[in-house]
Amino acid sequence: MYSLALVPLLAAAVRGQVTATGTQGVTNPPAATMGTPVNQTSMARLLSVNSVDDWCLFAPPSTGDTIGDTEAIEVAWCTKPRNNARVIPDGTIYAAHFVTTDFYVQVSAIGDFTNVNLKAGDYGGELDPHGATGAGNPVGGNVTSNVTGEDVSYQEWMSYISDTMFCIRVCTNENSTYSAAAMCEHKLDEMGCTFVMPGDYSNGTFDSCEADVAYPPGWYPIVEGGSTSYSVFAQYFTGAYTQDGTLVGYTVGTTATPTAPFTVPSSSSCTPVSTISNGIASLAVGNAPSSGSKSSSNSKATAGSQNASGSNTDGASGARRVALFHSDAPIVGLGVAAGVVIMSAAVIFL
């Protein structure tokens, strides 16, 4: 299941500090629980990522706002009634691919996420347990998985969502080379699902697979003299702060942006399913009460169109800063929808 590149390292693989040490957020039940009452106004923020038909996502609590504007207050939506969360309406998900690896579990999905309050046309954002204040985005968000046979709350995870694409990775293992924090790198906000979490993003199918382990997001191996080192890149962005009453500008990174991850991991032992459904007819798309204006035709038309860079023509750029820094700055090095600002990045050799 692991990549050949990891063979020398797996002998040293250990379950390090990958489990969460804090408590559940104040909005959450004390533990992951299946079969909780359906509550489409819930403010719970506990996700579980267990299988192709049992997973959750973070999305806005109400319509009309972008992920960039609501990242601190997103709420949990699950494919089944669980965790006191809201339930994703049947008909929302067009494709879902669940993989287990030796270092993480991952879901990649295509759908019309305006049904879970994404604003139509929102290029989306990145969510993680850190956030600007260290309290997480969303604040109090927790993530569990039961792939070890029991529900475990994990320290490191990352999630990207737009109106048409979703991905989440929960990091369940680490070793002396690849930490859980590196495998769930949370600072590549603008690179998108297919770059940060390479895998199967094909539309119209549902399956569970075992998969090789991807290199940590943004890592590129360099073999010299029989030894391997890694290059990583810093995402380009500019900003300003006030020092002694003077506005001081700063820049991180340069304009050389990688166009793709080093590899897309192979998968095997795949088990297809025809679809995923919770069977709650009253919530299904077309039956549920209107939750605001949406443009599902736009989402459907663009849902399956990605390029290798991870910043896709379907709008799933996974870019918190895209939402916040949308401007007339030039698009550098990435194929994205017209008008979307993607900051570029520098390759930095460590």
Side-chain angles (χ1 to χ4, degrees):
M1 192 160 62
Y2 48 80
S3 168
L4 290 178
L6 299 180
V7 171
L9 299 170
L10 286 176
V14 295
R15 297 264 170 193
Q17 186 52 58
V18 297
T19 57
T21 56
T23 60
Q24 290 289 339
V26 296
T27 62
N28 301 341
T33 306
M34 182 66 82
T36 55
V38 175
N39 180 0
Q40 297 303 86
T41 61
S42 169
M43 296 302 291
R45 297 171 183 169
L46 174 59
L47 307 191
S48 293
V49 182
N50 297 329
S51 66
V52 68
D53 64 349
D54 182 12
W55 50 269
C56 310
L57 55 80
F58 286 123
S62 57
T63 59
D65 296 315
T66 66
I67 292 291
D69 290 333
T70 60
E71 57 184 12
I73 60 170
E74 313 298 10
V75 298
W77 299 73
C78 299
T79 58
K80 298 177 180 292
R82 62 150 54 250
N83 302 353
N84 293 343
R86 305 184 190 197
V87 178
I88 299 172
D90 282 351
T92 297
I93 310 300
Y94 305 155
H97 308 280
F98 175 79
V99 297
T100 58
T101 78
D102 292 312
F103 280 74
Y104 56 82
V105 297
Q106 181 172 302
V107 172
S108 52
I110 303 294
D112 180 1
F113 296 109
T114 64
N115 293 313
V116 292
N117 290 340
L118 267 288
K119 186 176 182 178
D122 184 9
Y123 287 88
E126 189 267 354
L127 304 168
D128 59 64
H130 304 278
T133 66
N137 278 331
V139 174
N142 299 99
V143 177
T144 72
S145 182
N146 66 9
V147 292
T148 63
E150 60 182 353
D151 290 306
V152 176
S153 185
Y154 287 100
Q155 185 79 23
E156 297 291 344
W157 53 270
M158 57 179 176
S159 172
Y160 291 66
I161 188 168
S162 77
D163 62 342
T164 60
M165 181 179 282
F166 165 75
C167 59
I168 188 169
R169 177 182 291 181
V170 184
C171 289
T172 59
N173 194 11
E174 64 181 7
N175 65 16
S176 59
T177 301
Y178 300 145
S179 68
M183 279 293 181
C184 280
E185 170 59 60
H186 64 281
K187 295 187 293 294
L188 302 180
D189 304 31
E190 296 160 11
M191 301 309 292
C193 280
T194 59
F195 185 97
V196 176
M197 289 178 254
D200 187 354
Y201 288 86
S202 58
N203 201 357
T205 58
F206 301 82
D207 52 38
S208 296
C209 301
E210 296 179 357
D212 290 346
V213 179
Y215 283 101
W219 285 36
Y220 297 82
I222 302 168
V223 179
E224 294 179 335
S227 62
T228 302
S229 59
Y230 299 91
S231 67
V232 300
F233 70 94
Q235 199 166 261
Y236 178 87
F237 62 94
T238 61
Y241 61 94
T242 302
Q243 183 177 37
D244 299 328
T246 301
L247 191 65
V248 180
Y250 65 89
T251 299
V252 175
T254 62
T255 57
T257 305
T259 58
F262 182 73
T263 59
V264 175
S266 298
S267 58
S268 62
S269 302
C270 294
T271 302
V273 297
S274 59
T275 189
I276 60 175
S277 172
N278 51 59
I280 304 174
S282 62
L283 298 182
V285 173
N287 294 335
S290 175
S291 59
S293 175
K294 61 177 85 172
S295 178
S296 59
S297 62
N298 176 63
S299 297
K300 293 177 181 178
T302 59
S305 175
Q306 307 101 20
N307 63 34
S309 74
S311 295
N312 345 81
T313 54
D314 69 354
S317 69
R320 180 161 63 230
R321 292 193 181 96
V322 165
L324 297 178
F325 292 160
H326 191 74
S327 71
D328 295 327
I331 296 172
V332 182
L334 299 176
V336 296
V340 180
V341 180
I342 299 294
M343 306 303 181
S344 57
V347 175
I348 300 174
F349 291 88
L350 300 180

